[in-house]
Amino acid sequence: MAPAESTTLDNILQMSMLMLKRDLKEKNHFSFILQKNRVIGVGTNHLFKTHPKGAEYGYRYAAIHSELDAFLDLPREIDYRKLKLINVRLSRKSLKERRPILRMSRPCVHCSVWIQNIGFKEIWYSTDQGWCKFDTF
């Protein structure tokens, strides 16, 4: 992992911890979309909120996944091939232990399809052991 990528992922972890604290442990899966290492979209899972895109992409109950939530924030005229998608899932114990404890956050099969079609430049996701990078699925 290059130093710039490590710094970016560390910053994403700090933001995730703040979001976990803000949401009082209700949400622990976050997606960030970056353009030139600047966050331009942020999303969380919304289990009881729906969106027509959820049904279009085949989500069960059309719930909004964090990837879709972050994507919906983006301007339509943006070049997606220049963007990074970073998924983070934190253990609910992270707040108690005052440190980020990573969990698996690989995009589901439904998210993977539209992410591949859009053509993000890079996709990163957390695992129980650290970070995993996919250039394409």
Side-chain angles (χ1 to χ4, degrees):
M1 179 177 338
E5 290 171 345
S6 178
T7 300
T8 299
L9 294 174
D10 287 344
N11 291 339
I12 292 296
L13 275 181
Q14 289 175 356
M15 285 188 276
S16 298
M17 284 294 289
L18 290 172
M19 291 172 69
L20 184 65
K21 192 179 293 187
R22 179 197 71 194
D23 291 333
L24 302 173
K25 297 193 228 179
E26 286 182 23
K27 297 178 181 173
N28 65 332
H29 189 215
F30 312 105
S31 292
F32 299 88
I33 298 177
L34 287 73
Q35 182 178 42
K36 296 182 181 180
N37 292 330
R38 186 176 64 93
V39 175
I40 62 169
V42 177
T44 61
N45 283 349
H46 296 280
L47 299 179
F48 302 107
K49 189 175 176 184
T50 62
H51 190 278
K53 287 284 186 193
E56 180 182 330
Y57 295 133
Y59 295 163
R60 187 174 182 188
Y61 309 119
I64 298 176
H65 291 197
S66 63
E67 298 90 341
L68 180 59
D69 191 34
F71 175 73
L72 294 172
D73 281 345
L74 300 179
R76 299 216 185 272
E77 66 278 354
I78 199 159
D79 184 357
Y80 303 116
R81 295 168 299 167
K82 296 181 179 179
L83 304 179
K84 293 180 188 179
L85 172 67
I86 301 176
N87 272 1
V88 181
R89 183 182 307 275
L90 295 177
S91 166
R92 297 193 189 282
K93 294 179 183 177
S94 296
L95 287 179
K96 182 178 179 181
E97 296 193 22
R98 296 182 166 181
R99 65 181 178 87
I101 301 170
L102 294 175
R103 294 292 180 244
M104 177 60 74
S105 66
R106 182 181 177 136
C108 75
V109 66
H110 304 294
C111 290
S112 296
V113 170
W114 70 262
I115 288 169
Q116 181 177 347
N117 290 340
I118 285 174
F120 283 101
K121 175 182 171 183
E122 294 178 14
I123 298 108
W124 289 83
Y125 63 89
S126 63
T127 70
D128 293 1
Q129 291 78 35
W131 293 100
C132 190
K133 177 184 176 187
F134 277 84
D135 291 319
T136 57
F137 284 86

